[in-house]
Amino acid sequence: VPASTRFDGALPAEPTRVLYRVKKGDTLYGIARTFRTSVDDLRSWNARITGSRIGVGDRLVVYTTRPPVGTQ
């Protein structure tokens, strides 16, 4: 079994609530990838999102247990 798939006994970290401000060029898919989550999760945490429509300056709630991609 690869080391990355072995259970080490540690419990997952508590999710951290992040408020993300949408920037020009952002998409739900891109934001989801950055925070290592899914578009469906983003929609469930942000009831006002309908379809894929987000606007520059919108604030989205994101819950994450890992740092965003590109910040490690």
Side-chain angles (χ1 to χ4, degrees), residues 12-71:
E14 281 292 314
T16 301
R17 182 178 186 259
V18 176
L19 280 177
Y20 178 81
R21 187 179 299 255
V22 177
K23 300 180 202 84
K24 183 177 181 179
D26 277 347
T27 63
L28 286 177
Y29 177 75
I31 295 167
R33 285 197 59 187
T34 296
F35 286 96
R36 303 173 194 214
T37 191
S38 70
V39 171
D40 287 339
D41 282 343
L42 288 177
R43 286 189 182 118
S44 72
W45 300 326
N46 298 276
R48 70 182 181 280
I49 296 175
T50 57
S52 59
R53 313 265 310 152
I54 54 174
V56 173
D58 285 353
R59 289 186 182 181
L60 303 180
V61 173
V62 181
Y63 290 93
T64 184
T65 57
R66 301 185 308 186
V69 172
T71 62

Side-chain angles (χ1 to χ4, degrees), residues 5-16:
T5 61
R6 282 191 221 137
F7 178 65
D8 63 6
L11 297 174
E14 281 292 314
T16 301

